Amino acid sequence: MSLQIDNLGVRYGNVRALDGVSLKLEPGEMFFLLGPSGCGKSTLLRAVAGFIEDFDGDIRIGAESLKGVPPHKRDFGMVFQNYALFPHLTVNGNVAFGLEARKVPAADREARVAEALQMVGLAGFGGRRPGELSGGQQQRVALARALVIRPRVLLLDEPLSNLDAKLRWDMREEIRRIHRQTKITTLYVTHDQKEALSLADRMAILRAGKVEATGAPRALYQYPPTRFSADFLGDVNALPGKLSADGKAVATALGPVPLNGSALPKGLRPGAPATAFCRPESVIVVDESGALPADFVPLDAGARIVSGAFLGESTLYEVELPGQLRWRVLRHETREQGLPDGAQVKLAVAKGAWAAVPE
Ligand code: ADP
């Protein structure tokens, strides 16, 4: 079902936690709320879940307003960061809880619990207690408990934050698979941009209680509407300048930078100050021969390697350009030494990698 949030406002005393937030989740969509700590993500999720009664605006599922509808009558499934399982109940007991509350007959209940545990890969674990499970398994139980009621909407609040890196990746895959299978409209809150970029159909970036940007992951990463959203989703290699009269390039100290043909962000006017930028993976270090791969354009300036961080599969270099500009260059180095600190290099940028945001 669709979930619509209209002009939502929430206050805690003098703190305006949400201010005029409007979003629409299409039926079956996996929608992410992303933003720094304190931007209002949890407040929005709690308002949708029904834990906040006093708010401005409206929250609707399909055509039905949720104003005044208590949490247990919303038929929403919820998964929290800390699992929130009942320690004294078995896995079966935990998963069956929502069905008992809904007075689902015992025989039916058993079948649905088994089905939900099967879906999260925990068939056969029903007799254990949460204390006898790993963190990842506990989070699967929490997911099964949310899914078993066949919720109209699934709400996930930082569900992977307490898991270590490897488990987080596995669970992420699991959540994607289950979502594809069930097609439940899902609102997923995280502060981790990689989690959002890798799972979302669409996402919204919140900033101080307002929606800063919305879009599909790739589009938002490549063509963010504001500097804040550009910075939040990844490293920004910036070149300050002015948007040309035809809006197709930014005039910078290093010459004109051609922008990709995609729509320009609102608020960017011809002749106005603008920041052109590209991402670290769109920049290469030109080798001694000066030969360039097709579709790369050399930058009209030298650069100095400040430092390199070896990340295993790649190395992230910090480089300095004229005008004290600091950039980052991501380099895949196979059977090769890294570049030494202090090395003078030439850089080239992939054609079509440039975007611009208002200064
Ligand atoms: P996030 O989940 O993005 O970290 P929150 O929704 O938790 O953000 O918080 C949004 C804002 O509301 C923050 O400024 C936070 O300090 C404030 N806030 C959250 N909960 C309360 C509360 N119970 N009382 C007062 N202020 C709160």
Side-chain angles (χ1 to χ4, degrees), residues 47-75:
V48 171
F51 301 131
I52 294 174
E53 287 172 8
D54 192 15
F55 59 81
D56 296 327
D58 202 1
I59 303 172
R60 283 180 291 152
I61 176 129
E64 172 197 346
S65 171
L66 292 175
K67 255 208 157 135
V69 179
H72 63 279
K73 295 237 165 99
R74 295 188 176 199
D75 279 331

Side-chain angles (χ1 to χ4, degrees), residues 12-13 15-18 35-44 46 157-158 189 206:
Y12 301 106
V15 178
R16 200 188 274 262
L18 293 175
S37 184
C39 72
K41 304 181 295 293
S42 300
T43 300
L44 180 48
R46 288 173 50 229
D157 192 0
E158 304 263 8
V189 161
L206 289 188

Side-chain angles (χ1 to χ4, degrees), residues 32-344:
F32 271 68
L33 281 178
L34 189 63
S37 184
C39 72
K41 304 181 295 293
S42 300
T43 300
L44 180 48
L45 202 73
R46 288 173 50 229
V48 171
F51 301 131
I52 294 174
E53 287 172 8
D54 192 15
F55 59 81
D56 296 327
D58 202 1
I59 303 172
R60 283 180 291 152
I61 176 129
E64 172 197 346
S65 171
L66 292 175
K67 255 208 157 135
V69 179
H72 63 279
K73 295 237 165 99
R74 295 188 176 199
D75 279 331
F76 288 4
M78 192 150 185
V79 177
F80 304 92
Q81 178 176 351
N82 59 5
Y83 324 133
L85 299 176
F86 304 114
H88 58 287
L89 294 182
T90 60
V91 167
N92 278 335
N94 268 281
V95 177
F97 189 81
L99 297 178
E100 282 162 23
R102 285 171 177 75
K103 307 217 162 39
V104 174
D108 205 8
R109 215 155 63 205
E110 238 169 73
R112 280 173 67 174
V113 168
E115 181 193 41
L117 287 177
Q118 172 88 34
M119 187 178 291
V120 300
L122 283 183
F125 284 75
R128 294 209 199 174
R129 288 183 203 278
E132 299 165 334
L133 299 173
S134 71
Q137 289 169 333
Q138 290 184 48
Q139 197 54 304
R140 284 165 196 263
V141 175
L143 198 54
R145 185 178 59 181
L147 291 168
V148 79
I149 62 165
R150 295 176 187 150
R152 299 194 286 179
V153 171
L154 184 60
L155 304 174
L156 304 174
D157 192 0
E158 304 263 8
L160 308 184
S161 297
N162 281 347
L163 306 176
D164 65 48
K166 167 82 171 67
L167 256 182
R168 209 179 305 152
W169 187 259
D170 294 347
M171 267 307 276
R172 203 193 58 92
E173 276 305 313
E174 200 75 337
I175 287 173
R176 183 209 296 283
R177 179 183 60 75
I178 290 168
H179 179 254
R180 287 200 174 143
Q181 209 172 323
T182 59
K183 298 199 173 63
I184 297 171
T185 309
T186 301
L187 184 58
Y188 189 134
V189 161
T190 183
H191 64 275
D192 181 335
Q193 79 275 18
K194 291 224 159 61
E195 214 168 292
L197 289 170
S198 63
L199 276 174
D201 291 318
R202 282 190 313 136
M203 53 211 250
I205 297 175
L206 289 188
R207 177 189 192 181
K210 294 187 176 182
V211 176
E212 174 87 1
T214 55
R218 280 177 193 267
L220 212 49
Y221 180 78
Q222 284 164 6
Y223 312 115
T226 62
R227 178 66 192 253
F228 181 88
S229 46
D231 280 324
F232 198 78
L233 293 176
D235 288 323
V236 165
N237 290 330
L239 273 186
K242 240 182 208 178
L243 191 65
S244 65
D246 65 4
K248 288 185 176 163
V250 176
T252 76
L254 302 186
V257 168
L259 298 178
N260 193 294
S262 63
L264 281 176
K266 265 193 280 176
L268 206 52
R269 306 256 174 275
T275 300
F277 76 92
C278 60
R279 300 291 193 182
E281 64 279 11
S282 311
V283 185
I284 57 168
V285 175
V286 182
D287 71 18
E288 284 98 56
S289 74
L292 281 178
D295 294 333
F296 274 82
V297 180
L299 209 62
D300 200 10
R304 187 176 64 87
I305 303 286
V306 177
S307 62
F310 180 58
L311 303 173
E313 80 283 11
S314 59
T315 306
L316 187 61
Y317 290 97
E318 191 92 22
V319 302
E320 193 171 78
L321 291 150
Q324 289 173 331
L325 288 173
R326 281 287 177 110
W327 277 25
R328 285 188 174 157
V329 178
L330 190 68
R331 227 173 154 237
H332 292 269
E333 293 163 343
T334 52
R335 282 190 272 156
E336 180 183 332
Q337 295 293 319
L339 298 163
D341 293 358
Q344 293 291 333

